[in-house]
PDB file of all heavy atoms in Angstrom:
ATOM      1  N   GLY A   1       2.338   1.074  13.279  1.00  0.00           N
ATOM      2  CA  GLY A   1       2.985   0.395  12.164  1.00  0.00           C
ATOM      3  C   GLY A   1       2.041  -0.433  11.316  1.00  0.00           C
ATOM      4  O   GLY A   1       2.428  -0.903  10.240  1.00  0.00           O
ATOM      5  N   LEU A   2       0.814  -0.605  11.770  1.00  0.00           N
ATOM      6  CA  LEU A   2      -0.193  -1.291  10.960  1.00  0.00           C
ATOM      7  C   LEU A   2      -0.772  -0.384   9.878  1.00  0.00           C
ATOM      8  O   LEU A   2      -1.401  -0.880   8.933  1.00  0.00           O
ATOM      9  CB  LEU A   2      -1.331  -1.809  11.850  1.00  0.00           C
ATOM     10  CG  LEU A   2      -0.971  -2.897  12.866  1.00  0.00           C
ATOM     11  CD1 LEU A   2      -2.166  -3.213  13.754  1.00  0.00           C
ATOM     12  CD2 LEU A   2      -0.478  -4.151  12.160  1.00  0.00           C
ATOM     13  N   ASP A   3      -0.578   0.902  10.035  1.00  0.00           N
ATOM     14  CA  ASP A   3      -1.084   1.867   9.054  1.00  0.00           C
ATOM     15  C   ASP A   3      -0.051   2.075   7.952  1.00  0.00           C
ATOM     16  O   ASP A   3       1.154   2.180   8.211  1.00  0.00           O
ATOM     17  CB  ASP A   3      -1.405   3.195   9.737  1.00  0.00           C
ATOM     18  CG  ASP A   3      -2.514   3.055  10.776  1.00  0.00           C
ATOM     19  OD1 ASP A   3      -3.601   2.588  10.400  1.00  0.00           O
ATOM     20  OD2 ASP A   3      -2.266   3.385  11.950  1.00  0.00           O
ATOM     21  N   LYS A   4      -0.531   2.147   6.718  1.00  0.00           N
ATOM     22  CA  LYS A   4       0.364   2.215   5.559  1.00  0.00           C
ATOM     23  C   LYS A   4       1.302   3.419   5.593  1.00  0.00           C
ATOM     24  O   LYS A   4       2.489   3.278   5.252  1.00  0.00           O
ATOM     25  CB  LYS A   4      -0.455   2.215   4.265  1.00  0.00           C
ATOM     26  CG  LYS A   4       0.392   2.025   3.003  1.00  0.00           C
ATOM     27  CD  LYS A   4      -0.486   1.880   1.784  1.00  0.00           C
ATOM     28  CE  LYS A   4       0.364   1.564   0.541  1.00  0.00           C
ATOM     29  NZ  LYS A   4       1.360   2.602   0.238  1.00  0.00           N
ATOM     30  N   PRO A   5       0.858   4.610   5.989  1.00  0.00           N
ATOM     31  CA  PRO A   5       1.798   5.737   6.021  1.00  0.00           C
ATOM     32  C   PRO A   5       3.001   5.498   6.933  1.00  0.00           C
ATOM     33  O   PRO A   5       4.127   5.873   6.602  1.00  0.00           O
ATOM     34  CB  PRO A   5       0.938   6.900   6.522  1.00  0.00           C
ATOM     35  CG  PRO A   5      -0.454   6.543   6.099  1.00  0.00           C
ATOM     36  CD  PRO A   5      -0.529   5.058   6.265  1.00  0.00           C
ATOM     37  N   VAL A   6       2.753   4.854   8.076  1.00  0.00           N
ATOM     38  CA  VAL A   6       3.863   4.559   8.995  1.00  0.00           C
ATOM     39  C   VAL A   6       4.777   3.492   8.396  1.00  0.00           C
ATOM     40  O   VAL A   6       6.008   3.630   8.405  1.00  0.00           O
ATOM     41  CB  VAL A   6       3.327   4.091  10.365  1.00  0.00           C
ATOM     42  CG1 VAL A   6       4.482   3.621  11.259  1.00  0.00           C
ATOM     43  CG2 VAL A   6       2.556   5.216  11.040  1.00  0.00           C
ATOM     44  N   SER A   7       4.179   2.431   7.857  1.00  0.00           N
ATOM     45  CA  SER A   7       4.984   1.373   7.246  1.00  0.00           C
ATOM     46  C   SER A   7       5.808   1.909   6.079  1.00  0.00           C
ATOM     47  O   SER A   7       6.999   1.587   5.938  1.00  0.00           O
ATOM     48  CB  SER A   7       4.067   0.240   6.769  1.00  0.00           C
ATOM     49  OG  SER A   7       4.812  -0.795   6.189  1.00  0.00           O
ATOM     50  N   ASP A   8       5.185   2.752   5.259  1.00  0.00           N
ATOM     51  CA  ASP A   8       5.911   3.341   4.127  1.00  0.00           C
ATOM     52  C   ASP A   8       7.071   4.198   4.613  1.00  0.00           C
ATOM     53  O   ASP A   8       8.160   4.193   4.013  1.00  0.00           O
ATOM     54  CB  ASP A   8       4.964   4.184   3.271  1.00  0.00           C
ATOM     55  CG  ASP A   8       3.987   3.324   2.474  1.00  0.00           C
ATOM     56  OD1 ASP A   8       4.211   2.103   2.382  1.00  0.00           O
ATOM     57  OD2 ASP A   8       3.000   3.883   1.951  1.00  0.00           O
ATOM     58  N   PHE A   9       6.844   4.950   5.704  1.00  0.00           N
ATOM     59  CA  PHE A   9       7.908   5.790   6.254  1.00  0.00           C
ATOM     60  C   PHE A   9       9.079   4.927   6.740  1.00  0.00           C
ATOM     61  O   PHE A   9      10.249   5.216   6.455  1.00  0.00           O
ATOM     62  CB  PHE A   9       7.367   6.641   7.407  1.00  0.00           C
ATOM     63  CG  PHE A   9       8.419   7.444   8.115  1.00  0.00           C
ATOM     64  CD1 PHE A   9       8.832   8.673   7.615  1.00  0.00           C
ATOM     65  CD2 PHE A   9       9.008   6.968   9.288  1.00  0.00           C
ATOM     66  CE1 PHE A   9       9.813   9.417   8.270  1.00  0.00           C
ATOM     67  CE2 PHE A   9       9.982   7.702   9.945  1.00  0.00           C
ATOM     68  CZ  PHE A   9      10.390   8.931   9.436  1.00  0.00           C
ATOM     69  N   VAL A  10       8.766   3.858   7.476  1.00  0.00           N
ATOM     70  CA  VAL A  10       9.816   2.992   8.014  1.00  0.00           C
ATOM     71  C   VAL A  10      10.647   2.397   6.886  1.00  0.00           C
ATOM     72  O   VAL A  10      11.886   2.411   6.916  1.00  0.00           O
ATOM     73  CB  VAL A  10       9.197   1.878   8.890  1.00  0.00           C
ATOM     74  CG1 VAL A  10      10.266   0.831   9.242  1.00  0.00           C
ATOM     75  CG2 VAL A  10       8.593   2.471  10.154  1.00  0.00           C
ATOM     76  N   PHE A  11       9.980   1.882   5.860  1.00  0.00           N
ATOM     77  CA  PHE A  11      10.701   1.191   4.793  1.00  0.00           C
ATOM     78  C   PHE A  11      11.165   2.122   3.674  1.00  0.00           C
ATOM     79  O   PHE A  11      11.748   1.660   2.687  1.00  0.00           O
ATOM     80  CB  PHE A  11       9.840   0.053   4.243  1.00  0.00           C
ATOM     81  CG  PHE A  11       9.771  -1.129   5.183  1.00  0.00           C
ATOM     82  CD1 PHE A  11       8.665  -1.319   5.985  1.00  0.00           C
ATOM     83  CD2 PHE A  11      10.837  -1.995   5.290  1.00  0.00           C
ATOM     84  CE1 PHE A  11       8.614  -2.384   6.870  1.00  0.00           C
ATOM     85  CE2 PHE A  11      10.806  -3.070   6.168  1.00  0.00           C
ATOM     86  CZ  PHE A  11       9.686  -3.266   6.972  1.00  0.00           C
ATOM     87  N   SER A  12      10.926   3.421   3.861  1.00  0.00           N
ATOM     88  CA  SER A  12      11.506   4.373   2.912  1.00  0.00           C
ATOM     89  C   SER A  12      12.998   4.556   3.150  1.00  0.00           C
ATOM     90  O   SER A  12      13.703   5.112   2.306  1.00  0.00           O
ATOM     91  CB  SER A  12      10.797   5.729   3.012  1.00  0.00           C
ATOM     92  OG  SER A  12      11.075   6.349   4.271  1.00  0.00           O
ATOM     93  N   HIS A  13      13.466   4.066   4.288  1.00  0.00           N
ATOM     94  CA  HIS A  13      14.890   4.168   4.621  1.00  0.00           C
ATOM     95  C   HIS A  13      15.604   2.889   4.167  1.00  0.00           C
ATOM     96  O   HIS A  13      15.167   1.775   4.499  1.00  0.00           O
ATOM     97  CB  HIS A  13      15.070   4.377   6.126  1.00  0.00           C
ATOM     98  CG  HIS A  13      14.446   5.656   6.601  1.00  0.00           C
ATOM     99  ND1 HIS A  13      13.116   5.748   6.946  1.00  0.00           N
ATOM    100  CD2 HIS A  13      14.975   6.895   6.757  1.00  0.00           C
ATOM    101  CE1 HIS A  13      12.846   6.989   7.317  1.00  0.00           C
ATOM    102  NE2 HIS A  13      13.954   7.703   7.208  1.00  0.00           N
ATOM    103  N   ALA A  14      16.665   3.053   3.415  1.00  0.00           N
ATOM    104  CA  ALA A  14      17.361   1.909   2.822  1.00  0.00           C
ATOM    105  C   ALA A  14      17.821   0.908   3.870  1.00  0.00           C
ATOM    106  O   ALA A  14      17.850  -0.301   3.614  1.00  0.00           O
ATOM    107  CB  ALA A  14      18.549   2.403   2.001  1.00  0.00           C
ATOM    108  N   SER A  15      18.158   1.371   5.063  1.00  0.00           N
ATOM    109  CA  SER A  15      18.669   0.466   6.093  1.00  0.00           C
ATOM    110  C   SER A  15      17.616  -0.549   6.532  1.00  0.00           C
ATOM    111  O   SER A  15      17.950  -1.668   6.946  1.00  0.00           O
ATOM    112  CB  SER A  15      19.164   1.260   7.308  1.00  0.00           C
ATOM    113  OG  SER A  15      18.124   2.075   7.830  1.00  0.00           O
ATOM    114  N   ALA A  16      16.321  -0.174   6.439  1.00  0.00           N
ATOM    115  CA  ALA A  16      15.256  -1.109   6.813  1.00  0.00           C
ATOM    116  C   ALA A  16      15.212  -2.277   5.838  1.00  0.00           C
ATOM    117  O   ALA A  16      15.127  -3.443   6.239  1.00  0.00           O
ATOM    118  CB  ALA A  16      13.908  -0.399   6.871  1.00  0.00           C
ATOM    119  N   GLY A  17      15.260  -1.973   4.550  1.00  0.00           N
ATOM    120  CA  GLY A  17      15.261  -3.036   3.549  1.00  0.00           C
ATOM    121  C   GLY A  17      16.508  -3.891   3.633  1.00  0.00           C
ATOM    122  O   GLY A  17      16.453  -5.119   3.458  1.00  0.00           O
ATOM    123  N   GLU A  18      17.635  -3.260   3.909  1.00  0.00           N
ATOM    124  CA  GLU A  18      18.887  -4.010   4.028  1.00  0.00           C
ATOM    125  C   GLU A  18      18.828  -4.953   5.225  1.00  0.00           C
ATOM    126  O   GLU A  18      19.269  -6.108   5.156  1.00  0.00           O
ATOM    127  CB  GLU A  18      20.059  -3.047   4.164  1.00  0.00           C
ATOM    128  CG  GLU A  18      21.414  -3.718   4.117  1.00  0.00           C
ATOM    129  CD  GLU A  18      22.561  -2.715   4.139  1.00  0.00           C
ATOM    130  OE1 GLU A  18      22.290  -1.499   4.053  1.00  0.00           O
ATOM    131  OE2 GLU A  18      23.718  -3.158   4.262  1.00  0.00           O
ATOM    132  N   PHE A  19      18.266  -4.441   6.325  1.00  0.00           N
ATOM    133  CA  PHE A  19      18.107  -5.286   7.518  1.00  0.00           C
ATOM    134  C   PHE A  19      17.242  -6.493   7.210  1.00  0.00           C
ATOM    135  O   PHE A  19      17.571  -7.628   7.589  1.00  0.00           O
ATOM    136  CB  PHE A  19      17.486  -4.476   8.650  1.00  0.00           C
ATOM    137  CG  PHE A  19      17.033  -5.318   9.815  1.00  0.00           C
ATOM    138  CD1 PHE A  19      17.941  -5.765  10.762  1.00  0.00           C
ATOM    139  CD2 PHE A  19      15.696  -5.680   9.955  1.00  0.00           C
ATOM    140  CE1 PHE A  19      17.530  -6.555  11.825  1.00  0.00           C
ATOM    141  CE2 PHE A  19      15.277  -6.461  11.013  1.00  0.00           C
ATOM    142  CZ  PHE A  19      16.197  -6.906  11.955  1.00  0.00           C
ATOM    143  N   MET A  20      16.121  -6.294   6.509  1.00  0.00           N
ATOM    144  CA  MET A  20      15.220  -7.396   6.191  1.00  0.00           C
ATOM    145  C   MET A  20      15.924  -8.437   5.325  1.00  0.00           C
ATOM    146  O   MET A  20      15.701  -9.639   5.474  1.00  0.00           O
ATOM    147  CB  MET A  20      13.964  -6.884   5.502  1.00  0.00           C
ATOM    148  CG  MET A  20      13.050  -6.045   6.394  1.00  0.00           C
ATOM    149  SD  MET A  20      12.448  -6.922   7.845  1.00  0.00           S
ATOM    150  CE  MET A  20      11.486  -8.223   7.078  1.00  0.00           C
ATOM    151  N   GLY A  21      16.778  -7.990   4.421  1.00  0.00           N
ATOM    152  CA  GLY A  21      17.523  -8.930   3.589  1.00  0.00           C
ATOM    153  C   GLY A  21      18.459  -9.794   4.415  1.00  0.00           C
ATOM    154  O   GLY A  21      18.534 -11.020   4.219  1.00  0.00           O
ATOM    155  N   HIS A  22      19.201  -9.158   5.345  1.00  0.00           N
ATOM    156  CA  HIS A  22      20.092  -9.922   6.228  1.00  0.00           C
ATOM    157  C   HIS A  22      19.291 -10.898   7.091  1.00  0.00           C
ATOM    158  O   HIS A  22      19.688 -12.049   7.289  1.00  0.00           O
ATOM    159  CB  HIS A  22      20.889  -8.981   7.135  1.00  0.00           C
ATOM    160  CG  HIS A  22      21.923  -8.167   6.418  1.00  0.00           C
ATOM    161  ND1 HIS A  22      22.863  -8.720   5.580  1.00  0.00           N
ATOM    162  CD2 HIS A  22      22.170  -6.825   6.425  1.00  0.00           C
ATOM    163  CE1 HIS A  22      23.649  -7.786   5.089  1.00  0.00           C
ATOM    164  NE2 HIS A  22      23.240  -6.614   5.595  1.00  0.00           N
ATOM    165  N   LEU A  23      18.133 -10.424   7.620  1.00  0.00           N
ATOM    166  CA  LEU A  23      17.320 -11.255   8.508  1.00  0.00           C
ATOM    167  C   LEU A  23      16.745 -12.452   7.754  1.00  0.00           C
ATOM    168  O   LEU A  23      16.699 -13.572   8.278  1.00  0.00           O
ATOM    169  CB  LEU A  23      16.197 -10.408   9.115  1.00  0.00           C
ATOM    170  CG  LEU A  23      15.379 -11.050  10.234  1.00  0.00           C
ATOM    171  CD1 LEU A  23      16.282 -11.539  11.362  1.00  0.00           C
ATOM    172  CD2 LEU A  23      14.353 -10.065  10.772  1.00  0.00           C
ATOM    173  N   GLU A  24      16.318 -12.232   6.532  1.00  0.00           N
ATOM    174  CA  GLU A  24      15.783 -13.334   5.727  1.00  0.00           C
ATOM    175  C   GLU A  24      16.835 -14.420   5.517  1.00  0.00           C
ATOM    176  O   GLU A  24      16.551 -15.612   5.665  1.00  0.00           O
ATOM    177  CB  GLU A  24      15.282 -12.821   4.380  1.00  0.00           C
ATOM    178  CG  GLU A  24      14.724 -13.930   3.496  1.00  0.00           C
ATOM    179  CD  GLU A  24      14.181 -13.419   2.175  1.00  0.00           C
ATOM    180  OE1 GLU A  24      14.391 -12.230   1.854  1.00  0.00           O
ATOM    181  OE2 GLU A  24      13.544 -14.215   1.464  1.00  0.00           O
ATOM    182  N   ARG A  25      18.043 -14.013   5.192  1.00  0.00           N
ATOM    183  CA  ARG A  25      19.105 -15.004   4.975  1.00  0.00           C
ATOM    184  C   ARG A  25      19.428 -15.754   6.263  1.00  0.00           C
ATOM    185  O   ARG A  25      19.655 -16.968   6.240  1.00  0.00           O
ATOM    186  CB  ARG A  25      20.358 -14.318   4.413  1.00  0.00           C
ATOM    187  CG  ARG A  25      20.202 -13.880   2.948  1.00  0.00           C
ATOM    188  CD  ARG A  25      21.506 -13.355   2.378  1.00  0.00           C
ATOM    189  NE  ARG A  25      21.893 -12.085   2.973  1.00  0.00           N
ATOM    190  CZ  ARG A  25      21.457 -10.896   2.551  1.00  0.00           C
ATOM    191  NH1 ARG A  25      20.614 -10.825   1.526  1.00  0.00           N
ATOM    192  NH2 ARG A  25      21.867  -9.787   3.137  1.00  0.00           N
ATOM    193  N   MET A  26      19.431 -15.037   7.380  1.00  0.00           N
ATOM    194  CA  MET A  26      19.748 -15.688   8.647  1.00  0.00           C
ATOM    195  C   MET A  26      18.669 -16.705   9.031  1.00  0.00           C
ATOM    196  O   MET A  26      18.962 -17.837   9.436  1.00  0.00           O
ATOM    197  CB  MET A  26      19.892 -14.646   9.764  1.00  0.00           C
ATOM    198  CG  MET A  26      20.338 -15.266  11.082  1.00  0.00           C
ATOM    199  SD  MET A  26      20.484 -14.068  12.414  1.00  0.00           S
ATOM    200  CE  MET A  26      18.770 -13.804  12.784  1.00  0.00           C
ATOM    201  N   LEU A  27      17.388 -16.326   8.883  1.00  0.00           N
ATOM    202  CA  LEU A  27      16.303 -17.229   9.260  1.00  0.00           C
ATOM    203  C   LEU A  27      16.187 -18.401   8.294  1.00  0.00           C
ATOM    204  O   LEU A  27      15.831 -19.511   8.706  1.00  0.00           O
ATOM    205  CB  LEU A  27      14.983 -16.455   9.336  1.00  0.00           C
ATOM    206  CG  LEU A  27      14.911 -15.417  10.461  1.00  0.00           C
ATOM    207  CD1 LEU A  27      13.589 -14.665  10.404  1.00  0.00           C
ATOM    208  CD2 LEU A  27      15.085 -16.082  11.827  1.00  0.00           C
ATOM    209  N   THR A  28      16.478 -18.178   7.027  1.00  0.00           N
ATOM    210  CA  THR A  28      16.486 -19.285   6.072  1.00  0.00           C
ATOM    211  C   THR A  28      17.505 -20.335   6.498  1.00  0.00           C
ATOM    212  O   THR A  28      17.287 -21.546   6.322  1.00  0.00           O
ATOM    213  CB  THR A  28      16.817 -18.777   4.656  1.00  0.00           C
ATOM    214  OG1 THR A  28      15.806 -17.833   4.251  1.00  0.00           O
ATOM    215  CG2 THR A  28      16.861 -19.911   3.650  1.00  0.00           C
ATOM    216  N   PHE A  29      18.595 -19.891   7.088  1.00  0.00           N
ATOM    217  CA  PHE A  29      19.620 -20.799   7.596  1.00  0.00           C
ATOM    218  C   PHE A  29      19.205 -21.425   8.934  1.00  0.00           C
ATOM    219  O   PHE A  29      19.357 -22.636   9.145  1.00  0.00           O
ATOM    220  CB  PHE A  29      20.937 -20.029   7.762  1.00  0.00           C
ATOM    221  CG  PHE A  29      22.006 -20.788   8.497  1.00  0.00           C
ATOM    222  CD1 PHE A  29      22.705 -21.820   7.883  1.00  0.00           C
ATOM    223  CD2 PHE A  29      22.317 -20.474   9.813  1.00  0.00           C
ATOM    224  CE1 PHE A  29      23.686 -22.524   8.560  1.00  0.00           C
ATOM    225  CE2 PHE A  29      23.294 -21.166  10.500  1.00  0.00           C
ATOM    226  CZ  PHE A  29      23.987 -22.193   9.876  1.00  0.00           C
ATOM    227  N   LEU A  30      18.635 -20.608   9.845  1.00  0.00           N
ATOM    228  CA  LEU A  30      18.407 -21.063  11.216  1.00  0.00           C
ATOM    229  C   LEU A  30      17.176 -21.951  11.393  1.00  0.00           C
ATOM    230  O   LEU A  30      17.221 -22.943  12.133  1.00  0.00           O
ATOM    231  CB  LEU A  30      18.259 -19.848  12.145  1.00  0.00           C
ATOM    232  CG  LEU A  30      19.520 -19.152  12.632  1.00  0.00           C
ATOM    233  CD1 LEU A  30      19.160 -17.978  13.517  1.00  0.00           C
ATOM    234  CD2 LEU A  30      20.405 -20.137  13.404  1.00  0.00           C
ATOM    235  N   LEU A  31      16.061 -21.607  10.762  1.00  0.00           N
ATOM    236  CA  LEU A  31      14.806 -22.286  11.072  1.00  0.00           C
ATOM    237  C   LEU A  31      14.869 -23.791  10.820  1.00  0.00           C
ATOM    238  O   LEU A  31      14.405 -24.574  11.667  1.00  0.00           O
ATOM    239  CB  LEU A  31      13.651 -21.641  10.310  1.00  0.00           C
ATOM    240  CG  LEU A  31      13.376 -20.168  10.663  1.00  0.00           C
ATOM    241  CD1 LEU A  31      12.114 -19.675   9.975  1.00  0.00           C
ATOM    242  CD2 LEU A  31      13.276 -19.959  12.170  1.00  0.00           C
ATOM    243  N   PRO A  32      15.429 -24.251   9.695  1.00  0.00           N
ATOM    244  CA  PRO A  32      15.538 -25.704   9.530  1.00  0.00           C
ATOM    245  C   PRO A  32      16.414 -26.363  10.598  1.00  0.00           C
ATOM    246  O   PRO A  32      16.182 -27.518  10.969  1.00  0.00           O
ATOM    247  CB  PRO A  32      16.176 -25.850   8.137  1.00  0.00           C
ATOM    248  CG  PRO A  32      15.832 -24.583   7.420  1.00  0.00           C
ATOM    249  CD  PRO A  32      15.867 -23.524   8.475  1.00  0.00           C
ATOM    250  N   LEU A  33      17.414 -25.639  11.101  1.00  0.00           N
ATOM    251  CA  LEU A  33      18.275 -26.200  12.140  1.00  0.00           C
ATOM    252  C   LEU A  33      17.518 -26.321  13.460  1.00  0.00           C
ATOM    253  O   LEU A  33      17.721 -27.280  14.217  1.00  0.00           O
ATOM    254  CB  LEU A  33      19.521 -25.324  12.323  1.00  0.00           C
ATOM    255  CG  LEU A  33      20.452 -25.255  11.111  1.00  0.00           C
ATOM    256  CD1 LEU A  33      21.632 -24.340  11.401  1.00  0.00           C
ATOM    257  CD2 LEU A  33      20.946 -26.641  10.722  1.00  0.00           C
ATOM    258  N   TYR A  34      16.652 -25.344  13.752  1.00  0.00           N
ATOM    259  CA  TYR A  34      15.810 -25.448  14.949  1.00  0.00           C
ATOM    260  C   TYR A  34      14.912 -26.680  14.861  1.00  0.00           C
ATOM    261  O   TYR A  34      14.722 -27.410  15.838  1.00  0.00           O
ATOM    262  CB  TYR A  34      14.947 -24.199  15.115  1.00  0.00           C
ATOM    263  CG  TYR A  34      15.682 -23.000  15.679  1.00  0.00           C
ATOM    264  CD1 TYR A  34      15.641 -21.771  15.042  1.00  0.00           C
ATOM    265  CD2 TYR A  34      16.398 -23.096  16.866  1.00  0.00           C
ATOM    266  CE1 TYR A  34      16.306 -20.666  15.558  1.00  0.00           C
ATOM    267  CE2 TYR A  34      17.067 -21.997  17.393  1.00  0.00           C
ATOM    268  CZ  TYR A  34      17.012 -20.783  16.734  1.00  0.00           C
ATOM    269  OH  TYR A  34      17.669 -19.705  17.250  1.00  0.00           O
ATOM    270  N   ILE A  35      14.335 -26.922  13.687  1.00  0.00           N
ATOM    271  CA  ILE A  35      13.484 -28.093  13.492  1.00  0.00           C
ATOM    272  C   ILE A  35      14.284 -29.369  13.699  1.00  0.00           C
ATOM    273  O   ILE A  35      13.835 -30.315  14.368  1.00  0.00           O
ATOM    274  CB  ILE A  35      12.853 -28.068  12.083  1.00  0.00           C
ATOM    275  CG1 ILE A  35      11.878 -26.893  11.955  1.00  0.00           C
ATOM    276  CG2 ILE A  35      12.135 -29.383  11.789  1.00  0.00           C
ATOM    277  CD1 ILE A  35      11.351 -26.693  10.552  1.00  0.00           C
TER     278      ILE A  35
END
């Protein structure tokens, strides 16, 4: 996954980008609460 062809393949699928969007929102909420 450190190689660009593999990373491009993984994120060529819409579900990967959608997952990252959900994860970003969750961590934006959680990390300050952990602190």
Side-chain angles (χ1 to χ4, degrees):
L2 295 175
D3 297 304
K4 191 174 185 300
V6 173
S7 181
D8 288 346
F9 175 83
V10 170
F11 286 101
S12 68
H13 298 85
S15 57
E18 187 175 353
F19 168 80
M20 292 300 297
H22 290 308
L23 189 55
E24 179 178 9
R25 288 187 291 275
M26 185 181 75
L27 293 177
T28 299
F29 170 75
L30 279 179
L31 297 187
L33 296 179
Y34 282 128
I35 294 173

